Amino acid sequence: MRLTLREAVMSFARAPLLSALSIMMIAFSLYSFGLFGLVALNFRQRFGAVEERIEIEAFVDDSTNVETLANAVSEIARFPEVARALPVTKDEALERARRDMGEFKDVFDASFLPASIKVQVREGFRDPATVQRVADRIAAYAFVDDVRYGAEFVERLHDIRNVATGTGIVLGIAFAAVAIIIIAATIRITVLARAREISIMRLVGATNGFVRRPFLLEGLATGVLGGGLALLLLWLSFALIGRYIPLVFLERPMAIGGIAFGGMIGLLGSALSVWRHLRRI
Amino acid sequence: MIRFAHVTKEYPRTGAALKDVSFRIAKGEFAFLTGPSGSGKSTILKLIFLEERPTAGEIRVAGMHAAKIRGKEIALLRRKLGIVFQDFRLLEDRTAEDNIAFALEVTGAPRDTIGTRVGRLLTQVGLASKGTSYPKQLSGGEQQRIAIARALVNDPFVLIADEPTGNLDDRATRGIFQLLGDINSSGTAVLMATHDLELVRRHEHRVIEMNRGQIVFDSTDPAPRAAQER
Ligand SMILES: Nc1ncnc2c1ncn2[C@@H]1O[C@H](COP(=O)(O)OP(=O)(O)OP(=O)(O)O)[C@@H](O)[C@H]1O
Ligand SMILES: [Mg+2]
């Protein structure tokens, strides 16, 4: 009697413990994933601002007349790679130089600041080769004296971006794979713990679908709960670090997507282990 | 109802467990399956309820080709069979009632009918007062009665029993055997594998005797080997 009672209590306690463990493990792997995502997001945000500064400046010969310049500007603005092209007249250049130089403003005289065209490159065309090509095309205009863009800066930026994207993709896949394996393993333990029950269910005529359903549900719930927990942890980390560094948090669709992703991983993991178990007739 | 035609079963490592076995079980029949250990009795039963597939030959159970059916059909076929084992196979963490109800829930039976059905079955196996007991609180004979009640939930046309009295003493054995006889009288066929030659001898039922994977004697067919040779 006592033994029966103890066993019943134990089998009751065993399942929630295991579930809690798998929720925590999923939360942890999704949290790591999310943390990286958050860093990447913030990185990109900053990065985007820096990237927008990629600019080609074409200095124009003094003798160029205004009309030629205006024509050239609108032509350049129609290049597919170009976001914006703006003429900078001598007076504007002088104005800007004075503002930048502050106290030396009187030293400058309009005559030795050439007029120029400032060209901003569209997003997606900011790699070194494309920027170079656009610069070359602009340099081909007869009245253009000199073309400048931060070649080194563009290259550096490009490299950083490649490395960051590559690392993000690799880590993302790795974390997702680890999470799936963890769920598959934990559900497998539950499946094995209930192997007797499963075999009896099948003996009395339960369909595979019927046997599978509770496990899939468990996997889904585990994944969603893990995802939710991960989001909570992520938000706490964000709030903590956010006190020192201004950060942006995941947008709502991203957060919901993360939880859905957790659920999907859970479903996949449990489907995997139940399928493996049921495959034998 | 059940028909084996030239059935051979080979297991991956141990080789042939059945060699060219042919027999029929008719509707409402009671048949013993006897023979020494390892002669293939359990293998025949497993082929009937589709835990195993034949290597060669044809098996028909309730009109279905056992070698061909897949997936959901297997489940549907098993609902037409009642299966009982030597080790009862009850769930320890459920009461007797819940063990019986479990077999109904699994097949998606309507909830409101389960209670009365379980009550009737408990009465039928003579354990109306033990519904709320756990398997560990019941004797072996009582546990087997619960297992039989569970096997009967879906009104099977045949009860397949693999040494149902193997773990029981004489008295309990007689009780279980009496119960199987009653079940058979109400129209359910019974195919029972057993070692208990005493039991077999005392009754007038059909006997199919196995040896080394072959039928060596069948009381309804006195010359099975001659028949096979033809
Ligand atoms: N799952 C299996 N894998 C491999 N070989 C098996 C398997 N099940 C049974 N066998 C072999 O098939 C043969 C027949 O076994 P089976 O269980 O049908 O005998 P049995 O007549 O029921 O014996 P017992 O009276 O001891 O229960 C035996 O030689 C056994 O070793
Ligand atoms: Mg056996």
Side-chain angles (χ1 to χ4, degrees):
Chain A
M1 173 69 199
R2 201 125 160 235
L3 204 83
T4 317
L5 212 70
R6 201 172 62 200
E7 267 219 353
V9 171
M10 257 175 62
S11 77
F12 198 77
R14 212 181 297 142
L17 214 73
L18 207 63
S19 313
L21 197 70
S22 39
I23 289 171
M24 255 140 72
M25 284 171 120
I26 287 149
F28 181 72
S29 53
L30 281 178
Y31 170 71
S32 325
F33 189 28
L35 208 59
F36 184 84
L38 202 60
V39 170
L41 184 76
N42 279 279
F43 194 65
R44 271 183 81 114
Q45 197 92 19
R46 298 269 169 113
F47 210 58
V50 175
E51 263 195 340
E52 265 163 35
R53 280 196 242 146
I54 291 180
E55 200 174 60
I56 302 167
E57 191 159 18
F59 295 97
V60 175
D61 189 79
D62 265 354
S63 57
T64 316
N65 77 41
V66 179
E67 215 166 302
T68 320
L69 194 65
N71 282 340
V73 167
S74 59
E75 214 172 287
I76 291 167
R78 283 196 299 272
F79 286 5
E81 302 91 344
V82 169
R84 242 179 331 167
L86 282 178
V88 181
T89 64
K90 246 179 221 189
D91 292 340
E92 281 165 347
L94 186 65
E95 183 72 18
R96 197 185 52 182
R98 279 190 176 141
R99 198 170 55 233
D100 288 354
M101 298 295 181
E103 55 185 290
F104 302 108
K105 59 186 170 202
D106 297 331
V107 179
F108 290 101
D109 172 8
S111 67
F112 66 75
L113 280 171
S116 68
I117 306 171
K118 286 200 165 190
V119 178
Q120 268 166 16
V121 181
R122 217 183 268 279
E123 205 183 330
F125 293 103
R126 288 170 184 159
D127 59 289
T130 310
V131 175
Q132 170 84 59
R133 212 173 58 230
V134 176
D136 287 348
R137 270 177 83 183
I138 295 168
Y141 285 99
F143 56 82
V144 172
D145 274 347
D146 191 11
V147 176
R148 273 191 216 155
Y149 68 96
E152 205 176 303
F153 173 68
V154 171
E155 248 158 58
R156 213 21 108 60
L157 221 55
H158 189 67
D159 287 349
I160 294 174
R161 194 190 184 125
N162 275 351
V163 169
T165 311
T167 317
I169 290 172
V170 168
L171 280 184
I173 291 173
F175 278 128
V178 166
I180 288 177
I181 291 168
I182 288 172
I183 298 212
T186 43
I187 297 276
R188 180 130 192 85
I189 294 170
T190 336
V191 169
L192 287 180
R194 293 180 56 195
R196 215 177 110 81
E197 193 178 335
I198 291 175
S199 77
I200 292 172
M201 279 168 96
R202 305 181 91 202
L203 204 64
V204 296
T207 58
N208 279 349
F210 186 90
V211 174
R212 221 178 279 132
R213 229 172 290 148
F215 291 106
L216 295 186
L217 198 69
E218 186 183 333
L220 182 71
T222 308
V224 168
L225 284 176
L229 187 62
L231 195 66
L232 186 73
L233 288 176
L234 200 62
W235 191 82
L236 288 176
S237 315
F238 161 77
L240 202 73
I241 302 168
R243 282 199 206 155
Y244 307 103
I245 313 164
L247 291 175
V248 291
F249 195 60
L250 307 178
E251 279 166 29
R252 187 174 294 194
M254 252 168 147
I256 293 172
I259 292 178
F261 186 60
M264 217 183 67
I265 289 176
L267 208 59
L268 214 70
S270 59
L272 207 73
S273 59
V274 178
W275 173 77
R276 238 173 54 178
H277 187 77
L278 292 181
R279 199 175 34 170
R280 296 175 268 137
I281 280 206
Chain B
M1 292 272 91
I2 296 174
R3 191 164 70 89
F4 275 49
H6 307 291
V7 173
T8 295
K9 172 67 188 175
E10 285 165 14
Y11 286 112
R13 276 179 304 278
T14 48
L18 294 182
K19 292 167 222 148
D20 195 22
V21 169
S22 302
F23 70 93
R24 285 163 187 264
I25 303 289
K27 197 171 170 185
E29 196 170 5
F30 195 122
F32 286 118
L33 198 56
T34 65
S37 181
S39 57
K41 303 182 294 293
S42 295
T43 300
I44 284 182
L45 301 187
K46 284 178 188 170
L47 287 168
I48 294 171
F49 62 78
L50 289 158
E51 191 176 309
E52 297 288 350
R53 304 286 187 138
T55 311
E58 195 183 88
I59 300 174
R60 287 181 140 249
V61 180
M64 295 209 239
H65 284 276
K68 289 178 195 152
I69 73 173
R70 292 269 173 279
K72 196 168 176 176
E73 281 179 323
I74 295 176
L76 296 181
L77 177 61
R78 283 183 185 154
R79 290 178 199 177
K80 297 182 190 166
L81 311 172
I83 309 166
V84 175
F85 295 96
Q86 181 173 2
D87 59 359
F88 321 134
R89 305 208 185 169
L90 298 173
L91 292 167
E92 301 293 332
D93 57 355
R94 286 166 211 245
T95 62
E97 283 175 344
D98 291 344
N99 265 285
I100 300 167
F102 180 68
L104 280 167
E105 285 160 8
V106 149
T107 57
R111 257 173 213 289
D112 48 340
T113 66
I114 291 179
T116 47
R117 183 112 186 84
V118 170
R120 270 220 308 282
L121 285 162
L122 276 171
T123 310
Q124 190 182 346
V125 299
L127 287 178
S129 61
K130 302 267 184 163
T132 54
S133 303
Y134 286 90
K136 285 215 167 135
Q137 299 167 306
L138 298 170
S139 72
E142 287 169 336
Q143 289 186 52
Q144 192 60 292
R145 283 168 189 269
I146 298 298
I148 290 169
R150 182 182 65 190
L152 295 176
V153 281
N154 289 310
D155 285 322
F157 72 87
V158 61
L159 194 69
I160 294 163
D162 196 350
E163 313 210 21
T165 59
N167 277 348
L168 306 178
D169 62 19
D170 273 355
R171 227 171 72 89
T173 296
R174 263 180 274 128
I176 292 295
F177 192 74
Q178 174 74 45
L179 177 61
L180 293 178
D182 292 347
I183 290 164
N184 180 242
S185 317
S186 65
T188 308
V190 175
L191 178 57
M192 171 176 169
T194 183
H195 272 133
D196 192 342
L197 295 180
E198 195 55 37
L199 192 76
V200 174
R201 230 170 276 135
R202 257 189 279 129
H203 295 87
E204 295 287 299
H205 300 306
R206 177 182 177 187
V207 179
I208 301 171
E209 193 184 330
M210 304 285 302
N211 196 11
R212 297 170 184 237
Q214 288 182 307
I215 295 177
V216 291
F217 173 78
D218 186 338
S219 58
T220 60
D221 180 4
R225 270 192 278 192
Q228 275 169 17
E229 273 159 19
R230 234 180 282 136

